[in-house]
Amino acid sequence: MWTRWVSHWWRKGMIKQISVKDVFETNAYFYIDETTNHGFLIDPGAEADKLLEIIKKEKLVIEKILLTHGHFDHMGAAKQISKKLNIPIYMHSEGKKYVTNPVWNLSRSCGRDIILENVRYLKDNDIIALEANPDIILRVIYVSGHTLDSVVYYSEDKNTAFVGDIILAGSIGRSDFYGGNASQLFIGIVQKIFSLPDNTILYSGHSKPTTVANEKNISEYLLHNFFVNNLQ
């Protein structure tokens, strides 16, 4: 799994993709300002001790935990890390349905009952700025369909988007879980992700990084057939 620092394509930012696993393998991400070593932790799905060790070794100061959606494989380590570092957890407001319900967040079906409390909620187009360097920002883009609460965390300045399970390299997210909706997912991808610049790098929950341009080319046939068959 690709886990090296990615800092060569801009001066003041670093991304580290870390593979973590409990039941499922999921990508967690560190989004770090290189000038201050402060940043965000996105989708800590499992292996809290592993992620905390990276934070300690790299001398990172994590200001916030950001969740792209409320499935347990994206939030399984959030509670422990939040408590250890005394930092808040953020997600879209629709996420309350997931973090308070082990059935909806799918943990119960895998023999777990994961619940998060004291979560702070976001809405579409909210801006999340790094306290240590307010020039480092992420914009919340709401794209329901995989779940009711799925969001993208987008940096226009860095041509970067953390997309969770909305879209993967060479694939589109599932829509058959609680709160899923295929029409909303496909329309959201076209209107809100494919409208981003073609060179935007997409960091997903379960694949290698890709770009908007790559996924437009790969998904064109699938999306065309969906719209022809469902939206006439």
Side-chain angles (χ1 to χ4, degrees):
M1 179 61 67
W2 187 70
T3 59
R4 64 184 178 87
W5 286 107
V6 180
S7 56
H8 62 277
W9 47 275
W10 82 75
R11 283 187 176 182
K12 296 184 179 180
M14 294 188 291
I15 294 170
K16 192 172 188 179
Q17 175 181 308
I18 303 294
S19 175
V20 295
K21 185 176 181 180
D22 177 19
V23 179
F24 309 111
E25 192 171 31
T26 304
N27 296 327
Y29 293 96
F30 291 99
Y31 184 66
I32 304 297
D33 170 36
E34 206 168 20
T35 62
T36 65
N37 237 28
H38 283 234
F40 307 124
L41 173 57
I42 301 170
D43 284 354
E47 296 189 85
D49 290 340
K50 176 180 179 178
L51 296 172
L52 287 167
E53 180 61 28
I54 292 170
I55 292 167
K56 180 179 178 180
K57 180 180 178 182
E58 302 288 348
K59 299 179 180 178
L60 306 177
V61 180
I62 303 302
E63 294 185 358
K64 296 176 176 68
I65 294 171
L66 307 179
L67 304 180
T68 60
H69 64 290
H71 283 159
F72 82 99
D73 58 325
H74 290 254
M75 67 177 192
K79 183 176 181 179
Q80 181 178 341
I81 295 172
S82 172
K83 184 176 180 180
K84 178 71 174 180
L85 302 180
N86 192 28
I87 57 174
I89 302 168
Y90 286 81
M91 70 189 310
H92 189 270
S93 58
E94 290 285 350
K96 189 173 183 179
K97 295 180 175 70
Y98 294 86
V99 298
T100 61
N101 188 332
V103 174
W104 274 57
N105 68 41
L106 306 180
S107 61
R108 182 165 295 174
S109 64
C110 294
R112 289 138 178 80
D113 269 0
I114 296 176
I115 291 175
L116 293 183
E117 300 173 340
N118 301 318
V119 175
R120 301 183 186 182
Y121 294 106
L122 302 163
K123 61 182 183 301
D124 192 30
N125 284 317
D126 275 355
I127 298 296
I128 306 166
L130 200 65
E131 293 176 12
N133 182 358
D135 290 336
I136 303 297
I137 64 172
L138 293 171
R139 178 166 64 90
V140 177
I141 302 175
Y142 178 51
V143 184
S144 64
H146 174 64
T147 59
L148 289 172
D149 65 327
S150 291
V151 298
V152 175
Y153 294 109
Y154 174 56
S155 170
E156 181 178 3
D157 186 42
K158 312 303 182 186
N159 292 320
T160 297
F162 299 95
V163 297
D165 291 353
I166 297 166
I167 187 168
L168 313 173
S171 180
I172 290 170
R174 291 176 61 174
S175 58
D176 56 337
F177 299 121
Y178 295 100
N181 184 296
S183 296
Q184 291 176 4
L185 177 63
F186 281 40
I187 292 169
I189 289 171
V190 171
Q191 293 183 345
K192 296 189 175 184
I193 294 180
F194 287 175
S195 62
L196 299 176
D198 280 352
N199 63 343
T200 303
I201 300 176
L202 306 178
Y203 294 96
S204 78
H206 303 283
S207 74
K208 65 183 180 179
T210 184
T211 66
V212 168
N214 286 343
E215 297 315 305
K216 280 182 178 178
N217 292 332
I218 293 170
S219 301
E220 182 178 3
Y221 178 76
L222 176 62
L223 290 167
H224 173 75
N225 281 351
F226 175 83
F227 285 118
V228 167
N229 292 329
N230 292 277
L231 299 180
Q232 288 182 337

